[in-house]
Amino acid sequence: MRWRLRSLAVDHAVPKLRPFSGFAGFGTKGLQLDGVKNIVAVASGKGGVGKSTTAEYGELSIMKLRWFDGLSELAYIGGSFNLAVALAKKCQLKVGVLDADVYGPSIPTMMNLNGEPEVTEDRKIVPFQNYGVKCMSIGFLVPKDSPLVWRGPMVASALEKLSRGVSWGNLDILVVDMPPGTGDTQITISQRLQLTGVLIVTTPQDVALNDARRGVAMFSKVEVPILGIIENMSCFKCPNCGHPSYIFGNGGARKTADEMCIDYLGEIPLEVDVVKASDEGIPLVISAPDSSVSRGYNDLAQKLVDKIGKLENEHLQPQISL
């Protein structure tokens, strides 16, 4: 049976929204996904990567900034998938990825997947799978070049189908790749799913860090645990000599994490191989397992597992009031 886009508009049971109180990570049974132990959102304002700056420079500088801008976009949107594959391969976990960016889905390209998903007898979408990771995206349900001109309620309905309407099976971690900003998608995911926590991704410069702070504030307001901050594109590594160039600044994410009393989970450098791997639909942790980027994601995966274990232990400890 083939899944059709109009099915997104079909009414089905929607869980009661979580109010802006209570601990989001554990104990909210009505917001759980069947068989999924942990749901981790990966979020970023994704500002300050070069778009606004481009207009201020001459032609040669514009060409350079566009090249770095395109590279940084690929580095950002490939982050969730490299992390998910690292969790599956290095940590030997059962992992899924939900592409929550309805307007700009990237899973089909990044994970080298295409076609329409099948549907079970109870009308659950069967997720695609590659590199040991189960994947679901609106990109599987609409033509590749078709824009989605949807308002908030339709986006919320689509996200409901893409999360609860999917036969995920048993997963240790479901990674939710969030779109930029702090809008409808972020609120919908935060209120309708039991998030174990959120990873905040930023780049080192102030413009991006300001967006990261807004993201931390938003998720804190809806009481989703902040698992930590990751500095993406911490430096650009020369493909010839490996020399690092701090084109976006140096140490901004670590400083911000310290100021906000949030764990700093590491840094991911920027490499040219990111472009090739993204175009070919092969996560860098697979195509170049010994690269500094791959080592960064493998290290991040282990830190994430340790952080979740620590949160679970804290939750299970008895609370004694005198």
Side-chain angles (χ1 to χ4, degrees):
M1 183 184 298
R2 298 172 69 186
W3 185 264
R4 298 190 180 278
L5 180 60
R6 65 170 177 266
S7 298
L8 291 174
V10 176
D11 292 334
H12 69 291
V14 176
K16 184 178 180 180
L17 299 185
R18 178 174 64 242
F20 289 175
S21 63
F23 186 66
F26 303 93
T28 322
K29 294 184 178 180
L31 305 177
Q32 294 175 336
L33 292 180
D34 292 338
V36 179
K37 294 180 182 178
N38 295 283
I39 305 175
V40 175
V42 180
S44 172
K46 205 172 64 172
V49 293
K51 293 182 180 67
S52 300
T53 314
T54 300
E56 301 177 11
Y57 292 85
E59 183 176 353
L60 180 59
S61 295
I62 288 174
M63 292 174 64
K64 290 180 179 178
L65 284 167
R66 282 177 177 168
W67 185 81
F68 278 118
D69 188 31
L71 195 61
S72 63
E73 290 284 339
L74 287 170
Y76 171 77
I77 60 180
S80 297
F81 314 128
N82 278 292
L83 173 59
V85 175
L87 287 166
K89 298 299 184 182
K90 176 178 173 58
C91 302
Q92 297 294 301
L93 299 178
K94 296 178 181 178
V95 183
V97 172
L98 168 60
D99 189 353
D101 193 347
V102 172
Y103 297 115
S106 51
I107 276 185
T109 299
M110 292 290 178
M111 296 294 277
N112 194 25
L113 294 168
N114 55 68
E116 294 185 11
E118 295 185 351
V119 180
T120 64
E121 292 183 357
D122 58 349
R123 297 193 60 77
K124 292 270 190 175
I125 309 173
V126 179
F128 286 104
Q129 185 165 337
N130 204 3
Y131 309 115
V133 177
K134 294 182 178 181
C135 306
M136 182 46 56
S137 170
I138 194 71
F140 298 134
L141 309 178
V142 298
K144 183 177 180 180
D145 298 323
S146 295
L148 293 180
V149 187
W150 288 353
R151 295 185 183 275
M154 194 62 182
V155 171
S157 178
L159 291 172
E160 190 69 21
K161 283 289 187 182
L162 294 173
S163 55
R164 297 187 181 281
V166 174
S167 179
W168 291 109
N170 294 321
L171 295 179
D172 295 305
I173 295 180
L174 176 64
V175 178
V176 182
D177 187 50
M178 302 284 260
T182 54
D184 289 335
T185 297
Q186 287 76 11
I187 294 296
T188 298
I189 293 294
S190 299
Q191 289 187 296
R192 294 186 176 182
L193 293 179
Q194 178 188 325
L195 295 181
T196 303
V198 58
L199 293 173
I200 302 296
V201 183
T202 185
T203 48
Q205 76 273 38
D206 288 342
V207 177
L209 291 168
N210 288 338
D211 287 334
R213 291 186 184 95
R214 294 187 188 100
V216 170
M218 183 232 119
F219 285 107
S220 297
K221 186 173 183 179
V222 296
E223 300 197 357
V224 172
I226 309 298
L227 299 175
I229 288 182
I230 310 155
E231 185 173 87
N232 200 17
M233 298 175 281
S234 58
C235 66
F236 173 71
K237 288 210 166 183
C238 175
N240 297 318
C241 66
H243 178 75
S245 297
Y246 297 93
I247 56 178
F248 297 120
N250 186 9
R254 183 185 293 273
K255 180 180 178 181
T256 298
D258 290 341
E259 291 174 351
M260 302 187 77
C261 298
I262 296 171
D263 288 344
Y264 178 72
L265 298 182
E267 55 193 42
I268 308 293
L270 182 60
E271 294 183 350
V272 176
D273 287 343
V274 172
V275 177
K276 182 179 180 181
S278 299
D279 287 345
E280 294 178 351
I282 306 175
L284 206 61
V285 294
I286 297 292
S287 62
D290 296 326
S291 68
S292 56
V293 172
S294 296
R295 290 195 298 269
Y297 280 117
N298 286 329
D299 183 56
L300 172 61
Q302 188 58 58
K303 287 181 179 178
L304 176 60
V305 172
D306 294 342
K307 180 71 174 181
I308 291 174
K310 182 179 178 181
L311 283 176
E312 289 176 343
N313 289 334
E314 290 175 354
H315 175 68
L316 292 175
Q317 289 179 356
Q319 301 296 317
I320 301 176
S321 299
L322 299 178

